[in-house]
Amino acid sequence: MTSGIDERGPQQNGPHEPPADETGIEELLRQVGARDEPAADMMREVEAAVHAEWQGMLQERRRKRRFMSVGVAASALLAIGVAALGVRYFAPTEPVQVAQVTRIDGHLLVRPESQTAHEIAVAQSVATGETIQTDDRSRAAMRFGDGVSLRLDHGTIVKVAAADELVLTAGALYIDSRAQNPQALTIRTDAGSVRHVGTQYQVRTHADEMEVSVREGRVLIANAAGTSSGVAGERIRVTPRGEIVRSRVPAHDPSWRWAAHTAPLFDINEHTFAAFADWVGRETGRKVVYQSGAAQRAANELTLRGSIEGLDPDTALSAVLSTTQLHRYQTEDESIGIALNSD
């Protein structure tokens, strides 16, 4: 019995007979004819279009790579900036010496941050971050920065917050700036702050109020209500509510005497009498006047010797005059009159 399937398997075409599918294609091509070649201009356009597309793809890839590089660089710069800010604002800063004690009447305490207070002596330094304190019987003076004399009244507590900033929480400060370009110094209290513009003035705080007296020059006062100025001869009281109350205060008013009595020692050796008299006038708020030209020449030519240690300016003036050919004559309170004994 035989099946319907040829035992030789599928029929194979002969070696010179193409497959049926290929025969159909050849026949179709003969009928259609040969394919026309594209025109040269068209080929160039196509090639140019493909090249342009390819260049666009390359440029896009380069752009993305540059963008990623810039992003990485920006991230690195941001990280560096954040680290720098952290170092600047969060890293602990070393204390900086900003003042030197020039006089102490009684006891002066200094308290570094997070430490106990200890007594300090003349010629020792005060640094940022330290709090200085006088008791009810003590006063002190120090040289602060360049050309600034800072004095503390009884019962004063002040912190050196920075090289240009003091925080007064009790008592009073007297500031005398003689420098041509005085260091900017701000005094802060609970009621407001004061900044001087080359001057003599005092700041007193009590019961959440601030009182600023201007002896010479000008000050700027800032509080919650805004900013105002004070000039020589004015006393400005800033209330807890931010109100400004002004009154008059002469340069020789008794309220300045404590500052004169706490003045750093003036070494009269090798100084002329005229220079010494000018110092007395500045410390007492008076102008030195000479009765004659001869008296003024004598004051400029006379060189002093000795010491006035322990004497306030007025007492020192009387003591020095007693050793010279000059004397003090009666004048108004606003001036100091000097004359020759022969006048």
Side-chain angles (χ1 to χ4, degrees):
M1 179 180 284
T2 62
S3 67
I5 300 176
D6 191 341
E7 293 181 355
R8 292 177 301 176
Q11 294 294 321
Q12 299 291 330
N13 294 322
H16 300 293
E17 297 179 4
D21 290 344
E22 292 184 7
T23 300
I25 295 173
E26 289 177 357
E27 181 63 24
L28 180 62
L29 290 173
R30 279 196 296 271
Q31 294 176 6
V32 173
R35 184 179 62 182
D36 294 335
E37 291 293 330
D41 291 343
M42 183 179 295
M43 287 295 294
R44 284 193 295 270
E45 291 179 4
V46 171
E47 290 175 355
V50 172
H51 182 73
E53 182 67 20
W54 174 249
Q55 290 295 326
M57 293 174 62
L58 290 178
Q59 291 177 1
E60 179 66 16
R61 290 178 181 175
R62 293 192 189 102
R63 188 189 68 80
K64 290 181 178 180
R65 285 197 295 268
R66 285 197 300 268
F67 179 78
M68 293 178 64
S69 299
V70 171
V72 171
S75 298
L77 288 174
L78 179 60
I80 293 172
V82 171
L85 286 173
V87 169
R88 180 176 178 182
Y89 292 104
F90 299 105
T93 57
E94 292 294 327
V96 178
Q97 293 184 352
V98 295
Q100 185 179 50
V101 180
T102 55
R103 178 171 179 169
I104 300 175
D105 295 335
H107 303 279
L108 180 64
L109 297 179
V110 61
R111 184 176 69 251
E113 287 187 306
S114 304
Q115 297 183 33
T116 57
H118 62 273
E119 194 165 344
I120 191 172
V122 172
Q124 288 188 292
S125 298
V126 176
T128 54
E130 294 183 332
T131 298
I132 317 162
Q133 181 174 353
T134 58
D135 58 31
D136 292 340
R137 297 183 178 181
S138 301
R139 290 188 175 120
M142 59 186 63
R143 184 172 62 252
F144 195 94
D146 182 20
V148 177
S149 175
L150 179 69
R151 304 171 201 177
L152 288 70
D153 197 8
H154 297 316
T156 296
I157 302 175
V158 59
K159 179 177 180 178
V160 183
D164 58 355
E165 181 179 337
L166 302 175
V167 180
L168 178 65
T169 55
L173 296 177
Y174 177 84
I175 296 90
D176 182 358
S177 175
R178 304 193 67 169
Q180 290 184 349
N181 298 307
Q183 174 185 351
L185 182 63
T186 300
I187 312 297
R188 300 194 183 279
T189 72
D190 288 341
S193 64
V194 186
R195 183 165 59 89
H196 69 265
V197 187
T199 186
Q200 289 179 311
Y201 69 106
Q202 69 170 308
V203 183
R204 187 173 295 277
T205 182
H206 54 82
D208 295 331
E209 289 189 354
M210 177 175 68
E211 184 181 88
V212 182
S213 300
V214 187
R215 197 176 203 178
E216 176 186 278
R218 186 167 62 94
V219 299
L220 300 177
I221 301 172
N223 64 352
T227 303
S228 58
S229 63
V231 297
E234 279 192 318
R235 175 173 289 156
I236 304 100
R237 184 168 62 90
V238 183
T239 70
R241 299 176 58 182
E243 299 170 334
I244 301 292
V245 181
R246 299 177 186 268
S247 58
R248 301 297 300 173
V249 56
H252 59 279
D253 190 78
S255 61
W256 302 105
R257 287 179 184 169
W258 75 267
H261 291 179
T262 317
L265 178 66
F266 182 90
D267 185 3
I268 64 173
N269 279 297
E270 304 304 326
H271 281 93
T272 64
F273 178 86
F276 166 65
D278 286 342
W279 173 79
V280 173
R282 184 173 181 83
E283 291 297 339
T284 59
R286 295 179 171 91
K287 181 181 178 180
V288 178
V289 294
Y290 293 93
Q291 192 175 47
S292 64
Q296 186 167 7
R297 286 192 297 273
N300 288 327
E301 295 170 358
L302 178 60
T303 301
L304 302 178
R305 301 284 190 276
S307 173
I308 58 171
E309 185 173 1
L311 304 178
D312 63 79
D314 275 322
T315 304
L317 178 61
S318 298
V320 170
L321 282 171
S322 66
T323 65
T324 71
Q325 56 182 338
L326 300 167
H327 70 274
R328 184 173 180 177
Y329 68 91
Q330 188 66 37
T331 60
E332 299 293 332
D333 288 340
E334 293 83 0
S335 61
I336 297 173
I338 303 297
L340 278 170
N341 290 340
S342 59
D343 286 348

